[in-house]
Amino acid sequence: MDFPKSVPGVGLVGGRFVNEDAATGQLGSLIPAEWGNSLMDELFAVFVAAGIEPEESDTTQLLQAIRGVSLPIYPSAPAMNVGPIVYALDRQQILHWQTIGSFTGYASPEVGKFTWGTSIAARPYEENAIGQTIDRTLPKYAALVAWAEVNGHMQTSGRG
């Protein structure tokens, strides 16, 4: 969507709409019905996608609609269910609200997936857990521990 530059006599100045100014003799821009209706149709399409009923007096609906159709981004995984899918910046991952054994919360859909790599250090969304002892009380390991328990992959470390 752009300004109706191709419409003859629309009255754009510098490619933008202008108001009439009687003192200077500046004529105001004309907005063609086709252009105005197409602009509203584009906005309404976003509202419909977000499940919002257009309301003439509400000037926040476009922002609400954009937020409603966007993937929510959080610094870290929320502790409560705020929607089925979120993006956690600290993990650099899309997380799903799910139940894995005794765990219910946000976890990667790939939790427990073994990935072979050659990186010296684990990436933010990875753990180097092969042959390692992990602190199962840390919240960041809750989904992994639950997955490992459900799949019979947990062993006690033998440390007292």
Side-chain angles (χ1 to χ4, degrees), residues 76-78 83-88 90-91 93-98 106-109:
S76 60
I85 301 173
V86 299
Y87 184 83
D90 62 344
R91 298 187 198 180
Q93 251 183 337
I94 293 175
L95 305 175
H96 297 236
W97 185 263
Q98 54 187 307
Y106 284 103
S108 166

Side-chain angles (χ1 to χ4, degrees), residues 66-121:
I66 290 169
R67 286 181 174 158
V69 298
S70 300
L71 179 65
I73 299 173
Y74 292 88
S76 60
M80 303 297 292
N81 185 352
V82 294
I85 301 173
V86 299
Y87 184 83
L89 291 171
D90 62 344
R91 298 187 198 180
Q92 297 178 6
Q93 251 183 337
I94 293 175
L95 305 175
H96 297 236
W97 185 263
Q98 54 187 307
T99 297
I100 305 165
S102 62
F103 170 82
T104 297
Y106 284 103
S108 166
E110 297 183 348
V111 67
K113 177 182 177 185
F114 175 77
T115 303
W116 178 260
T118 57
S119 299
I120 294 172

Side-chain angles (χ1 to χ4, degrees), residues 136-149:
R136 61 189 303 148
T137 64
L138 292 176
K140 77 180 216 171
Y141 294 124
L144 180 59
V145 167
W147 177 89
E149 287 174 341

Side-chain angles (χ1 to χ4, degrees), residues 2-125:
D2 196 359
F3 289 89
K5 297 172 186 168
S6 64
V7 178
V10 75
L12 299 178
V13 174
R16 299 183 58 85
F17 296 118
V18 294
N19 290 323
E20 182 174 334
D21 186 343
T24 65
Q26 172 69 55
L27 296 176
S29 300
L30 303 175
I31 299 177
E34 295 81 11
W35 185 87
N37 289 333
S38 66
L39 175 63
M40 295 309 297
D41 289 342
E42 279 198 40
L43 291 174
F44 290 161
V46 178
F47 295 169
V48 168
I52 294 175
E53 183 68 32
E55 172 58 48
E56 186 176 357
S57 63
D58 188 346
T59 59
T60 67
Q61 288 184 297
L62 181 58
L63 179 59
Q64 291 174 43
I66 290 169
R67 286 181 174 158
V69 298
S70 300
L71 179 65
I73 299 173
Y74 292 88
S76 60
M80 303 297 292
N81 185 352
V82 294
I85 301 173
V86 299
Y87 184 83
L89 291 171
D90 62 344
R91 298 187 198 180
Q92 297 178 6
Q93 251 183 337
I94 293 175
L95 305 175
H96 297 236
W97 185 263
Q98 54 187 307
T99 297
I100 305 165
S102 62
F103 170 82
T104 297
Y106 284 103
S108 166
E110 297 183 348
V111 67
K113 177 182 177 185
F114 175 77
T115 303
W116 178 260
T118 57
S119 299
I120 294 172
R123 296 174 188 98
Y125 54 89

